[in-house]
Amino acid sequence: MTTNLTRGEAQSRTQVLDVSTYTVDIDVSNAETGAPTYLSRTVVEFNSRADCSTFIDLIADSVTYAEINGKILDPAEVFDGARVGFPVRRGKNSLLIEAQAYYSTSGEGLHRFTDPADGNVYLYTQYEPTDARRVFANFDQPDLKAEFIFNVTAPEHFQVLSNRAETSQGPSQETYPETVDADSPAITHHFAPTLRQSSYITCITAGPYEGATDHWTDPATGEVVALGAWTRASLVDHLDASDIFSITKAGLDFFSSEFDYPYPWGKYDQIFVPEYNLGAMENPGLVTFTDSLIFRDKVTDAMYESRANVILHEMAHMWFGDLVTMKWWDDLWLKESFADYMGGLALAEATRFTDGWVTFALRRKAWAYTQDLYPTTHPIVADIPDVEAAKLNFDGITYAKGASVLKQLVAFVGREAFFAGSRLYFKRFEYRNTELADFLECLAEAAPDRDLASWAGAWLGTSGVSELSLELTTSSGSGTGSESAASSAASSSRRSGRETITNARITQADSARGAQLLRPHTLEIATLGRSGRKLVPIDTFSFDFSTESAEVEQLAGRTLGDITLVNYADLDYARVRLDPASTQAAINSVSRIADPLSRALVWSALDNAVRDGLLPVQSYLKAYARSLGKESHAGIMAGLSQTALTCLDQWVSERNFETAISGLLGAALDALATARSGSDAQLHLANLVLALTSRTARCFESSAAIAMGRSFASQILAVPVGEEIDRLSPGAMAEQRTTPTGGNNSGAGSARAESPDHAAAALPFKGLLNDHALRWNALTALVCLGWADQTDIARENQSDPSSSGRLHAETASAAMPLPIVKIRAWEVINEAAALSNDVLSAIISGFVAPTSIPLIENYVDEYFSRLASFWSDNSIEIARRLVLGLYPRWSVDEEATVEKTDAWLDAHTDAPAALRRLLIERRDDLARAIYLKSTQSSRH
């Protein structure tokens, strides 16, 4: 049996088959009984161009009946667990498959979830790339489109949705009589046929979902589209339907107008589901989202922006991906890159998040840069030989790099031509499948004066990222090339307003191939100088070049500013190297840059410099600490904290760790003390303090900041949900010698008593209301320190019995710094098949949480000995979580872990390519960490 469908196999079927319709009957009337399987019946009508043998995809417990063109097939002979083989005749064919399919807990196929808050059972499907075969028999590849007719039998109180509107419902004639309450009979829901679409974007949801409805009217056609927003009953009070519908209507206005193509899929339901592996999925007419986007606790504006971006990303797929679909996963970017770009564009131009590109520049592109530097990097148009490779190609290159390159394409051909080509593409290929050449053909017709073939070859067919640097010569005769900031930043100074640039030269080099790979760049360059206390653009201009280096004549004769910013406005995809003087000015004054997008781009340059060892880690952390309390953009705050925590977790040497975390924690506490009441910054800083405090478990000595951070975590647990958190003074802390929940703990008391005066402790503050998220973050931090135990965790879980509370409790329980806890957690993790996807990840997160002593060092060899079985014994989603989550970058002997990784790869050259890729990337992260630590002295 093989579940790994190859490109060659898919192409062979495409050459022979044309699929007309699927009629799919799904009976989940036993969903609430705990039964492991459900009835799945599929009738497929299709044409064949020849007499031959083929197969249909189906991963199920059993096939109970199979028939082709009236001939009954023996399931024992034709079904191998993943495929049903059968003969076909030239012309029309009809295939009937009846099977018992599995309910899933991995988020693949038909996922079943029992809500711990109220015991309700919820179902939803998730298929991409090829998990529709886990629910019903089908030719599970994107280019065999068909119409789908779904009939779903479910308990009477279930809300059942699918891609199209329900046409009728009635009592079920065929069901599981022994499992259905006579007073609550099963109901069969009949749905209208879909338009022609791929199997991976069909969808079914069922359960006691609740929500709200609205409608949108197309301004051009007057067509009324029904809107729905749905979630679990336990979350419906937190469903911000008005905001969701506002973003949805703005997006439909934007896309239907810009694409000059009405929304084609009828209704537009959006449902937020539990234990979801993705952010969302673009099923036409029924978009599924992770219900972590329903905000039970207070979040910053960055999260509302993120939710809006996801909504718009999925909506863009209704045209890019659903209406016109790639033939095979090689051209996955044809939908994901476009949706990422279009989602960002609509966010900035059609919603209140007018600076939406800021977060993209700092956070989304950082994902792309990181992915593009791995040994496993690949072109945007990738070589995808099979569906396992496709599963792993939903990465930073396919999404964020692709979207960034599309921004560059728009700059290259012009926005009007880009949209004209897109409109032509939709009309020419509606309901069909395409390749890259088809899109380029449409774009070339709209932009005949641009060499798109060469552009595509340079940008879409190559891997790696261009690195751009600018060398300036000034009237004083000094030069400002982009040599290592570590060696030159201290001696570099900027005489802003006094010096004139006499010569400027820009240079590009590919991250892997240097000057051997050159790309055409259309970008902007800006000089930032002082205006009062702010840094603002003094000069900006557009610049095109495609050679290894080029004179930037526009800069000659201009006044030298504080920072010269290449890729101002972020039109290009490139890692920018600031010159040394600009680097030093950025370290000292990046928070003074008035424009948030320019600020994000400068931070991005610093991030890349520290990642490459060109900027000392401690210099970056000092610049970040200086920004705390000054940065107000929620997206920038979130991006910077992510990089700072990566520095602490991976790149700061052990001998410098306590100094680094103490300094950063002190800065965060001081910023928190003065943050505006109720602001995003206040909430962000409170969570940052807790994240840093949990990491102080690695510290052997205390400090004023460390003690205060631990006291702040304790205080949060002393304040009920919904009440305001007040800062404890040092005197009050010294008097309070109890554990967070009232038990005696001399260790905790001593740490508090030793805390001297600190700015953050002395100033009371208001506006921070306690909630479940803050309490769980505080409790987990104290658990890592050994200041809270299972009794505290159980008490907190009792007060928060939600699914989120359960996951937090699992993490906190596995994080307890006791050998027996780690032993038990490892045993549970190795029974992954018995766990749901999110519960598994929660336990892994606690298992690898920071501790004062290396409690899990013995599991390094265990990890490598079990790697192969992690992959072979689990679905790819569960296997991925095991391989990535447990990779021993936490080992005290990092060099030995690299050696063991190399040894495993050498000994398993025949291991699945997807598994090897994951391991190679984690090894690369660890090798980078070792290198960066080796560059540090104790003075850093």
Side-chain angles (χ1 to χ4, degrees):
M1 180 186 78
T2 179
T3 60
N4 191 18
L5 180 69
T6 69
R7 178 175 51 206
E9 290 172 325
Q11 289 172 341
S12 295
R13 288 197 301 201
T14 302
Q15 291 169 3
V16 175
L17 304 181
D18 285 316
V19 187
S20 303
T21 62
Y22 291 87
T23 301
V24 181
D25 296 289
I26 302 293
D27 186 346
V28 293
S29 56
N30 66 347
E32 297 174 300
T33 70
T37 63
Y38 57 91
L39 177 64
S40 170
R41 182 187 294 114
T42 306
V43 176
V44 192
E45 306 291 343
F46 62 96
N47 289 314
S48 176
R49 298 181 183 88
D51 295 338
C52 62
S53 294
T54 188
F55 65 90
I56 196 165
D57 303 297
L58 175 67
I59 297 176
D61 175 62
S62 62
V63 169
T64 55
Y65 186 82
E67 175 187 300
I68 179 69
N69 299 323
K71 179 182 178 181
I72 298 175
L73 305 173
D74 183 354
E77 294 181 1
V78 299
F79 179 56
D80 67 359
R83 299 173 177 183
V84 178
F86 55 92
V88 297
R89 65 194 181 198
R90 182 183 178 90
K92 292 184 177 181
N93 290 264
S94 180
L95 173 69
L96 168 62
I97 302 289
E98 189 173 291
Q100 286 291 316
Y102 289 109
Y103 287 106
S104 167
T105 57
S106 68
E108 302 155 300
L110 181 64
H111 187 86
R112 178 168 58 185
F113 170 81
T114 301
D115 193 338
D118 54 21
N120 283 334
V121 172
Y122 295 90
L123 307 173
Y124 65 86
T125 59
Q126 169 57 35
Y127 299 150
E128 190 174 38
T130 54
D131 284 324
R133 56 187 171 157
R134 296 181 184 273
V135 177
F136 62 96
N138 68 96
F139 302 107
D140 211 355
Q141 58 191 74
D143 63 344
L144 287 178
K145 287 188 171 185
E147 292 183 355
F148 295 81
I149 302 169
F150 288 101
N151 306 297
V152 182
T153 302
E156 185 180 37
H157 62 284
F158 272 25
Q159 160 88 287
V160 181
L161 299 172
S162 189
N163 300 86
R164 298 290 276 180
E166 184 176 300
T167 57
S168 65
Q169 61 174 256
S172 171
Q173 301 303 311
E174 300 180 45
T175 186
Y176 298 96
E178 72 279 6
T179 65
V180 178
D181 188 340
D183 296 328
S184 179
I187 299 296
T188 300
H189 303 257
H190 303 279
F191 295 93
T194 69
L195 303 179
R196 286 190 66 81
Q197 64 177 74
S198 301
S199 56
Y200 76 91
I201 47 176
T202 58
C203 185
I204 298 168
T205 64
Y209 289 101
E210 298 182 18
T213 59
D214 202 339
H215 68 275
W216 169 76
T217 303
D218 189 322
T221 67
E223 180 183 359
V224 176
V225 174
L227 307 178
W230 312 96
T231 192
R232 290 180 278 146
S234 63
L235 284 178
V236 73
D237 288 345
H238 307 286
L239 178 67
D240 188 1
S242 61
D243 183 65
I244 292 169
F245 287 143
S246 175
I247 298 296
T248 302
K249 292 176 184 179
L252 288 169
D253 282 340
F254 181 84
F255 290 127
S256 61
S257 173
E258 292 291 335
F259 296 157
D260 191 27
Y261 196 111
Y263 172 71
W265 302 105
K267 68 183 180 70
Y268 200 88
D269 280 315
Q270 297 174 100
I271 188 165
F272 297 80
V273 299
E275 296 189 324
Y276 203 50
N277 290 330
L278 308 174
M281 185 64 206
E282 66 268 18
N283 315 302
L286 181 56
V287 184
T288 42
F289 297 83
T290 170
D291 65 12
S292 64
L293 294 175
I294 303 299
F295 306 131
R296 189 180 62 140
D297 298 302
K298 184 179 179 181
V299 297
T300 69
D301 205 42
M303 284 303 300
Y304 285 98
E305 178 190 294
S306 177
R307 182 173 71 185
N309 198 352
V310 174
I311 289 172
L312 296 169
H313 174 112
E314 303 309 319
M315 188 180 293
H317 275 310
M318 300 300 121
W319 291 266
F320 278 111
D322 293 359
L323 179 66
V324 185
T325 311
M326 69 277 159
K327 289 183 178 179
W328 180 249
W329 302 104
D330 294 355
D331 283 309
L332 174 65
W333 83 280
L334 268 175
K335 71 183 188 76
E336 294 303 344
S337 299
F338 279 83
D340 226 35
Y341 170 71
M342 288 296 177
L345 186 67
L347 183 74
E349 297 189 2
T351 76
R352 68 183 183 276
F353 302 104
T354 54
D355 59 357
W357 286 119
V358 174
T359 305
F360 180 89
L362 183 60
R363 302 184 68 185
R364 201 70 169 169
K365 290 181 79 169
W367 180 29
Y369 295 146
T370 300
Q371 192 74 48
D372 228 356
L373 293 178
Y374 282 139
T376 58
T377 185
H378 58 84
I380 294 173
V381 180
D383 177 32
I384 306 297
D386 52 52
V387 295
E388 282 193 1
K391 183 82 170 180
L392 294 189
N393 242 45
F394 292 83
D395 60 13
I397 293 174
T398 299
Y399 283 78
K401 178 180 179 179
S404 303
V405 168
L406 285 179
K407 285 188 77 175
Q408 176 66 182
L409 175 59
V410 173
F412 181 68
V413 302
R415 175 168 172 155
E416 184 176 341
F418 179 81
F419 274 97
S422 299
R423 295 179 193 120
L424 181 60
Y425 180 68
F426 298 138
K427 290 181 173 63
R428 183 173 293 175
F429 297 106
E430 59 186 358
Y431 306 109
R432 294 167 58 192
N433 296 83
T434 61
E435 297 173 313
L436 168 63
D438 299 314
F439 177 73
L440 292 180
E441 175 186 296
C442 293
L443 199 58
E445 291 181 33
D449 57 333
R450 285 295 196 176
D451 182 0
L452 286 168
S454 297
W455 184 95
W459 281 106
L460 304 178
T462 63
S463 58
V465 53
S466 297
E467 296 173 350
L468 305 182
S469 58
L470 188 65
E471 183 176 355
L472 303 176
T473 304
T474 67
S475 53
S476 67
S478 62
T480 59
S482 57
E483 66 270 18
S484 169
S487 63
S488 63
S491 62
S492 297
S493 62
R494 189 72 84 173
R495 294 189 290 274
S496 180
R498 302 177 188 175
E499 293 192 37
T500 300
I501 299 170
T502 57
N503 184 263
R505 175 169 289 275
I506 192 170
T507 302
Q508 67 164 309
D510 180 70
S511 55
R513 297 169 59 186
Q516 296 177 5
L517 177 56
L518 304 175
R519 300 182 176 94
H521 296 273
T522 299
L523 49 80
E524 293 187 24
I525 299 174
T527 300
L528 306 182
R530 294 187 180 273
S531 176
R533 296 181 58 82
K534 295 292 185 180
L535 289 175
V536 299
I538 298 173
D539 291 309
T540 65
F541 57 89
S542 298
F543 188 78
D544 286 31
F545 82 111
S546 57
T547 54
E548 179 181 355
S549 65
E551 295 290 334
V552 187
E553 298 176 355
Q554 295 93 323
L555 279 174
R558 300 194 183 205
T559 300
L560 182 67
D562 289 74
I563 296 174
T564 305
L565 180 57
V566 175
N567 197 28
Y568 175 78
D570 198 31
L571 300 178
D572 201 0
Y573 174 73
R575 301 204 320 155
V576 172
R577 302 293 193 200
L578 296 176
D579 65 84
S582 293
T583 297
Q584 190 60 39
I587 292 171
N588 294 334
S589 307
V590 62
S591 296
R592 295 181 184 273
I593 299 174
D595 171 44
L597 179 56
S598 297
R599 208 159 60 242
L601 292 171
V602 170
W603 274 116
S604 176
L606 295 178
D607 176 37
N608 287 322
V610 73
R611 186 177 297 272
D612 292 346
L614 301 178
L615 177 70
V617 175
Q618 287 299 89
S619 295
Y620 181 91
L621 290 177
K622 287 176 182 177
Y624 173 61
R626 194 178 289 120
S627 77
L628 293 174
K630 298 175 183 176
E631 182 55 64
S632 59
H633 192 283
I636 295 178
M637 285 190 288
L640 297 183
S641 65
Q642 186 175 2
T643 301
L645 293 176
T646 298
C647 288
L648 290 171
D649 293 342
Q650 300 181 38
W651 300 341
V652 172
S653 64
E654 201 62 37
R655 64 179 176 272
N656 294 325
F657 179 79
E658 291 189 15
T659 300
I661 197 166
S662 184
L664 196 52
L665 185 52
L669 285 161
D670 286 342
L672 176 60
T674 57
R676 182 168 57 84
S677 174
S679 65
D680 278 357
Q682 185 186 55
L683 179 61
H684 173 80
L685 288 163
N687 281 303
L688 175 62
V689 166
L690 296 175
L692 293 169
T693 298
S694 70
R695 287 162 169 80
T696 65
R698 292 172 53 189
C699 297
F700 292 100
E701 296 182 5
S702 187
S703 67
I706 291 174
M708 185 57 220
R710 294 170 176 178
S711 296
F712 179 66
S714 300
Q715 181 193 352
I716 287 175
L717 292 185
V719 177
V721 169
E723 294 189 13
E724 193 171 76
I725 300 169
D726 292 324
R727 193 75 51 82
L728 290 177
S729 69
M733 285 186 294
E735 294 169 7
Q736 182 177 324
R737 296 173 183 271
T738 59
T739 64
T741 53
N744 193 355
N745 186 311
S746 59
S750 298
R752 295 190 189 93
E754 293 170 5
S755 178
D757 284 335
H758 192 279
L763 294 174
F765 71 105
K766 295 182 178 181
L768 185 62
L769 294 180
N770 210 358
D771 57 30
H772 290 297
L774 282 170
R775 287 181 62 87
W776 277 116
N777 289 343
L779 178 58
T780 304
L782 295 176
V783 165
C784 291
L785 295 165
W787 287 16
D789 59 19
Q790 193 62 50
T791 301
D792 303 309
I793 297 168
R795 184 180 292 114
E796 195 66 27
N797 197 190
Q798 185 176 16
S799 69
D800 179 19
S802 67
S803 58
S804 175
R806 178 198 178 189
L807 295 176
H808 281 296
E810 294 282 6
T811 296
S813 297
M816 292 176 60
L818 296 170
I820 188 61
V821 169
K822 302 302 181 182
I823 291 171
R824 295 288 182 259
W826 181 257
E827 291 173 349
V828 172
I829 288 168
N830 278 278
E831 296 297 327
L835 303 174
S836 74
N837 47 0
D838 280 4
V839 170
L840 174 63
S841 290
I843 296 172
I844 290 174
S845 179
F847 179 76
V848 302
T851 57
S852 59
I853 55 176
L855 293 174
I856 57 176
E857 194 65 26
N858 289 340
Y859 297 98
V860 174
D861 289 337
E862 283 271 355
Y863 171 85
F864 287 103
S865 69
R866 292 178 182 263
L867 256 179
S869 62
F870 282 163
W871 198 263
S872 62
D873 296 349
N874 297 283
S875 70
I876 191 169
E877 176 61 33
I878 296 298
R880 188 186 65 83
R881 293 182 185 224
L882 290 165
V883 172
L884 296 181
L886 292 171
Y887 183 76
R889 71 182 186 192
W890 33 262
S891 172
V892 296
D893 192 343
E894 294 174 330
E895 289 86 352
T897 299
V898 169
E899 291 174 0
K900 290 174 181 179
T901 305
D902 291 340
W904 193 95
L905 289 168
D906 290 343
H908 296 81
T909 55
D910 59 345
L915 170 57
R916 289 180 57 85
R917 171 179 171 174
L918 292 177
L919 206 58
I920 289 168
E921 290 176 358
R922 295 294 75 77
R923 186 240 187 245
D924 192 70
D925 287 337
L926 190 54
R928 182 180 298 274
I930 293 170
Y931 167 71
L932 291 177
K933 289 175 181 177
S934 72
T935 64
Q936 298 168 38
S937 69
S938 58
R939 293 177 297 171
H940 287 145

